[in-house]
Amino acid sequence: MSGCLNEVNLIGNLCRDPEVRYSQAGKPIANLTVATSEQWKDASGQKKERTEYHRVVIFNEGLCGVAGRFLKKGSKVFLRGQLQTRKWTDQQGVEKHSTETVLQGFNAVLVLLDGRRDDSQRAEAVANAEPERQPGWDDQEVPF
């Protein structure tokens, strides 16, 4: 089906420190919970606020490294990923589902927005996010 788009952009704060685990194959997986808030005034002029909590799973190896080293509870981040819904059956036989924002592949984006880090630390985070070169990769530049 052409003309479809599954893209999520979030700007929010981490609710807790990232949890980085490793798959059986040794690949890192980072789990985050991000809060986004919306504020407005109702018809009577009273200030209102609503907060949504988003589950985020990072499969991108470089971004997992950045998340584990630089993100902490309260960090402000910009995330770009895709929505994915998982379904499973619990121990009581009840079917459950969970929708998450997933960051994987080359389209995944994680930007640290905190003013507490200086530009050299941000540059280091981005530089270290690049995946290691795999054996057999051609080291010559490819003209585009």
Side-chain angles (χ1 to χ4, degrees):
M1 178 186 247
S2 64
C4 294
L5 176 67
N6 179 356
E7 182 175 276
V8 177
N9 294 308
L10 296 172
I11 296 176
N13 294 24
L14 265 61
C15 297
R16 60 178 179 255
D17 289 347
E19 176 186 323
V20 180
R21 297 175 291 124
Y22 292 87
S23 69
Q24 291 179 347
K27 301 281 185 184
I29 301 168
N31 291 298
L32 313 173
T33 302
V34 177
T36 57
S37 295
E38 176 182 15
Q39 296 179 356
W40 72 96
K41 289 186 179 180
D42 65 9
S44 67
Q46 187 176 4
K47 186 177 175 181
K48 299 282 187 173
E49 182 176 4
R50 176 177 40 227
T51 302
E52 292 286 334
Y53 299 94
H54 308 272
R55 293 176 186 228
V56 179
V57 181
I58 303 174
F59 292 106
N60 180 299
E61 196 169 338
L63 297 181
C64 282
V66 170
R69 284 183 286 173
F70 295 100
L71 297 182
K72 301 288 180 225
K73 178 180 177 180
S75 295
K76 183 174 278 295
V77 294
F78 168 76
L79 303 164
R80 178 175 293 148
Q82 296 181 316
L83 285 180
Q84 285 187 7
T85 301
R86 294 185 297 121
K87 294 183 181 180
W88 71 94
T89 304
D90 69 8
Q91 294 176 348
Q92 289 76 31
V94 177
E95 189 171 294
K96 306 256 183 166
H97 71 278
S98 174
T99 301
E100 303 164 325
T101 300
V102 176
L103 280 65
Q104 62 185 355
F106 295 107
N107 294 331
V109 176
L110 166 61
V111 179
L112 289 71
L113 299 177
D114 281 332
R116 292 178 278 173
R117 294 180 179 18
D118 64 18
D119 287 336
S120 65
Q121 288 176 312
R122 287 179 196 225
E124 181 183 346
V126 171
N128 291 332
E130 294 298 321
E132 294 181 20
R133 296 185 65 79
Q134 300 295 317
W137 280 11
D138 188 3
D139 289 330
Q140 296 183 9
E141 291 185 25
V142 178
F144 289 99

